[in-house]
């Protein structure tokens, strides 16, 4: 099967990731829970992963790298730390349910900075308008998981810094492909999965915490154990319980892969594949492609529709033909509302560093067959 | 030989301290803080040889990584906090 669903999770991982996960199961203990060889080997593995993440995202010290289960977990910590009943929060029009549901649960007053697809300049000006009034937080999905559109993060971060608004960045689709400079952005929190563009295993995520944070869970931290309260220092404050060491060992190797190959190179590769895919799909009868006129506005995610066909049915047909894509609303109804696709949903293709031009061409041949049948 | 224990607020902090000392060429090891000197419960410290304290404190001051406490553990097992 040809895998084109890396926006959900990357399935093709570097060999070193698989090997590290396998070795961790037998060789690593629990970091912070002893001074013996197994515990210290785990501690060294976890620290190396923090250091690699700190290097990739230019984070001043590794203590701000918090291990989470996924981006949703990281976003829940960030939102729970800044947003309370009645808080005024400004979000982009392309947020995922991992942002919208925690905001709803917190009782926030949410203001959506709606902007057309692939219009970064417009998005920045809408944020600027909405942030004229004081806000308790601003949340930005760096890259839409539905359309691959890229938000003008540096501009929005600058507005937030100028107005003193804590910024939460959802880097779920950008971490590992688009350079993110933590120190330059000055965001309160940056949340990301470990299992997408960082090529770690599922069950891993990272929160970069530059702001004081409230733990989502309470429990053992391996430190200050006489206290009935969670420690007031990072990362221990936000990492209660035993760590996912096989996951972290794999994530460390995944980040090493990104550091070695370079985000810029990975992004160029993904853009080239998406660009060819979009151009070929566009020529097929009845296919509507959501593509940026300016390629700099889109990452390695592409949505499309087939006229007269249900998105899920097309997804199923492609699966039967040997292609893994995701169809529907992609857990981001707000993004579909903003783009005007909420009633139909879309079919989404998303690529990684491991996809090839031959795979894209094979997919296009399958789509030629799907659209012939549709006629 | 006496050893000094540079106690740290967390394992990760101890690892940062250890890295800074290693960069400065100071032999060290991340270890559990002995319960007899820890008032906070479980924790980690960085152990350095008795003749390295001055250099270690200098390196940590440069790296802006002050230890929580400095303890000397003597050969006879007695311990004492060292002010620095």
């Amino acid at each position: 099967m040809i895998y084109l669903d890396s926006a959900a999770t990357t399935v093709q991982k570097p060999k070193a990731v698989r090997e590290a996960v396998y070795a961790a199961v037998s060789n690593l203990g629990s970091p912070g829970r002893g001074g013996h060889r197994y515990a210290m080997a785990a501690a060294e593995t976890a620290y190396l992963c923090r250091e690699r993440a700190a290097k990739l995202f230019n984070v001043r010290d590794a203590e701000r790298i918090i291990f989470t289960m996924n981006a949703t977990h990281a976003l829940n910590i960030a939102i729970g730390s800044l947003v309370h009943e009645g808080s005024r929060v400004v979000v982009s029009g392309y947020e995922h349910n991992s942002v919208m549901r925690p905001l709803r649960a917190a009782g926030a007053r949410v203001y959506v900075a709606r902007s057309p697809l692939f219009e970064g300049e417009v998005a920045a000006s809408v944020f600027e308008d909405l942030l004229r009034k004081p806000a308790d937080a601003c949340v930005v999905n760096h890259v839409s998981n539905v359309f691959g559109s890229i938000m003008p993060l540096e501009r929005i971060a600058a507005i937030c810094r100028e107005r003193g608004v804590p910024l939460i960045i959802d880097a779920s689709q950008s971490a590992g492909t688009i350079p993110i400079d933590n120190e330059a952005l000055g965001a309160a929190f940056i949340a990301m999965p470990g299992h997408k563009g960082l090529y770690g295993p599922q069950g891993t995520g990272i929160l970069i915490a530059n702001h004081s944070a409230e733990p989502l869970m309470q429990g053992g931290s391996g430190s200050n154990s006489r206290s009935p309260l969670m420690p007031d220092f990072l990362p221990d404050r936000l990492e209660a319980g035993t760590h996912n060491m096989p996951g972290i060992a794999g994530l460390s190797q995944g980040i090493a892969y990104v550091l070695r190959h370079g985000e810029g190179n990975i992004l160029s590769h993904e853009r080239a594949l998406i660009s060819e895919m979009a151009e070929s799909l566009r020529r097929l009868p009845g296919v509507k492609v959501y593509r940026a006129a300016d390629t700099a506005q889109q990452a390695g995610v592409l949505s499309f529709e087939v006229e007269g066909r249900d998105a899920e049915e097309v997804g199923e047909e492609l699966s039967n033909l040997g292609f893994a894509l995701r169809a529907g609303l992609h857990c981001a109804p707000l993004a579909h509302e903003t783009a005007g696709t909420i009633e139909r949903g879309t079919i989404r293709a998303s690529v990684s560093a491991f996809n090839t031009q031959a795979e894209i061409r094979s997919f296009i041949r399958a789509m030629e067959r799907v659209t012939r049948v549709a006629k | 030989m006496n050893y000094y224990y540079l106690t740290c607020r967390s394992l990760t902090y101890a690892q940062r301290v250890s890295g800074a000392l290693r960069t400065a060429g100071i032999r060290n090891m991340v270890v559990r803080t002995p319960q007899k000197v820890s008032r906070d419960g479980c924790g980690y410290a960085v152990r350095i040889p008795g003749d390295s304290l001055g250099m270690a404190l200098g390196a940590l001051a440069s790296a802006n990584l002050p230890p929580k406490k400095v303890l000397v553990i003597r050969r006879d097992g007695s311990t004492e906090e060292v002010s620095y």
Side-chain angles (χ1 to χ4, degrees):
Chain A
M1 178 165 254
I2 290 175
Y3 190 79
L4 295 171
D5 197 14
S6 292
T9 196
T10 47
V11 164
Q12 294 135 306
K13 314 278 188 190
K15 188 173 170 230
V17 172
R18 295 195 296 276
E19 290 171 348
V21 171
Y22 185 80
V25 173
S26 308
N27 299 322
L28 299 185
S30 190
R33 272 69 169 179
H36 52 74
R37 183 163 60 90
Y38 290 98
M40 295 313 288
E44 283 164 23
T45 300
Y47 188 63
L48 180 59
C49 187
R50 290 188 212 276
E51 280 199 314
R52 283 174 171 163
K55 184 176 179 189
L56 184 62
F57 300 108
N58 189 28
V59 181
R60 203 167 51 242
D61 66 67
E63 288 169 284
R64 295 175 189 216
I65 303 293
I66 312 300
F67 294 127
T68 62
M69 292 185 280
N70 43 48
T72 299
H73 180 194
L75 285 163
N76 271 267
I77 295 172
I79 290 169
S81 301
L82 292 171
V83 179
H84 308 286
E85 179 83 38
S87 292
R88 182 173 188 271
V89 182
V90 176
V91 305
S92 84
Y94 295 94
E95 298 305 318
H96 190 273
N97 275 345
S98 55
V99 166
M100 300 310 289
R101 285 178 174 171
L103 288 176
R104 173 68 178 255
R109 291 177 294 132
V110 178
Y111 293 80
V112 180
R114 283 186 202 276
S115 58
L117 268 175
F118 310 119
E119 298 279 354
E121 284 295 315
V122 179
S125 67
V126 178
F127 269 101
E128 184 141 35
D129 284 345
L130 282 173
L131 289 168
R132 284 187 206 288
K133 285 187 188 167
D136 299 290
C138 174
V139 190
V140 177
N141 190 356
H142 190 186
V143 171
S144 165
N145 68 305
V146 181
F147 300 102
S149 51
I150 301 172
M151 278 285 152
L153 193 59
E154 287 77 11
R155 297 244 341 247
I156 296 166
I159 296 165
C160 287
R161 288 197 303 274
E162 190 187 306
R163 314 259 159 97
V165 178
L167 172 64
I168 299 171
I169 298 169
D170 177 359
S172 291
Q173 300 299 333
S174 56
T177 52
I178 299 179
I180 294 171
D181 184 334
N182 176 66
E183 300 302 327
L185 288 167
F189 296 101
I190 305 177
M192 65 192 75
H195 60 97
K196 296 185 183 181
L198 297 180
Y199 298 101
Q202 290 95 326
T204 60
I206 286 175
L207 176 69
I208 300 172
N210 300 309
H211 190 281
S212 60
E214 293 305 315
L216 211 56
M217 296 193 299
Q218 323 277 328
S221 62
S223 52
N224 278 10
S225 48
R226 286 192 186 182
S227 170
L229 303 174
M230 286 301 284
D232 59 3
F233 47 81
L234 299 174
D236 299 32
R237 181 166 178 74
L238 302 177
E239 292 183 356
T242 299
H243 292 78
N244 170 10
M245 283 315 303
I248 291 167
L251 175 58
S252 186
Q253 291 300 330
I255 296 172
Y257 173 88
V258 174
L259 283 167
R260 208 162 47 245
H261 290 267
E263 295 151 298
N265 292 328
I266 294 171
L267 180 62
S268 296
H269 173 72
E270 292 184 4
R271 271 191 178 141
L273 297 179
I274 286 294
S275 188
E276 177 167 349
M277 186 190 292
E279 191 53 36
S280 302
L281 285 174
R282 194 179 62 81
R283 293 190 184 129
L284 296 178
V287 177
K288 181 175 183 182
V289 182
Y290 292 88
R291 180 195 186 187
D294 171 8
T295 54
Q297 301 266 347
Q298 190 166 14
V301 179
L302 184 77
S303 258
F304 61 93
E305 296 174 57
V306 179
E307 192 182 353
R309 295 288 309 274
D310 184 275
E312 293 287 0
E313 284 174 11
V314 174
E316 189 180 336
E317 191 174 341
L318 285 168
S319 176
N320 293 337
L321 290 170
F323 297 88
L325 285 84
R326 183 165 170 192
L329 298 183
H330 315 92
C331 296
L334 177 62
H336 284 282
E337 278 171 19
T338 303
T341 52
I342 186 71
E343 297 304 330
R344 307 175 302 279
T346 60
I347 307 137
R348 180 188 72 184
S350 49
V351 295
S352 78
F354 291 91
N355 287 113
T356 63
Q357 191 179 48
E359 288 179 332
I360 301 306
R361 290 181 178 172
S362 176
F363 167 65
I364 294 302
R365 285 194 293 277
M367 278 300 297
E368 284 167 355
R369 190 168 155 185
V370 168
T371 52
R372 268 200 304 273
V373 172
K375 282 167 78 181
Chain B
M1 187 181 182
N2 294 340
Y3 283 98
Y4 286 100
Y5 279 63
L6 313 175
T7 69
C8 297
R9 64 189 182 197
S10 71
L11 169 60
T12 312
Y13 192 90
Q15 290 172 306
R16 290 183 68 202
V17 165
S18 173
L21 294 178
R22 210 170 36 246
T23 302
I26 300 165
R27 275 191 305 127
N28 71 86
M29 193 174 187
V30 175
V31 295
R32 297 279 283 181
T33 308
Q35 284 293 321
K36 62 184 174 185
V37 297
S38 171
R39 292 203 179 88
D40 301 324
C42 304
Y44 286 82
V46 177
R47 189 171 68 196
I48 57 171
D51 56 0
S52 302
L53 184 64
M55 237 172 84
L57 291 175
L60 295 181
S62 300
N64 195 24
L65 287 170
K68 201 156 106 181
K69 280 183 199 167
V70 178
L71 302 159
V72 59
I73 299 193
R74 299 190 187 87
R75 289 180 70 179
D76 62 7
S78 63
T79 62
E80 191 182 335
E81 186 170 345
V82 176
S83 56
Y84 69 96

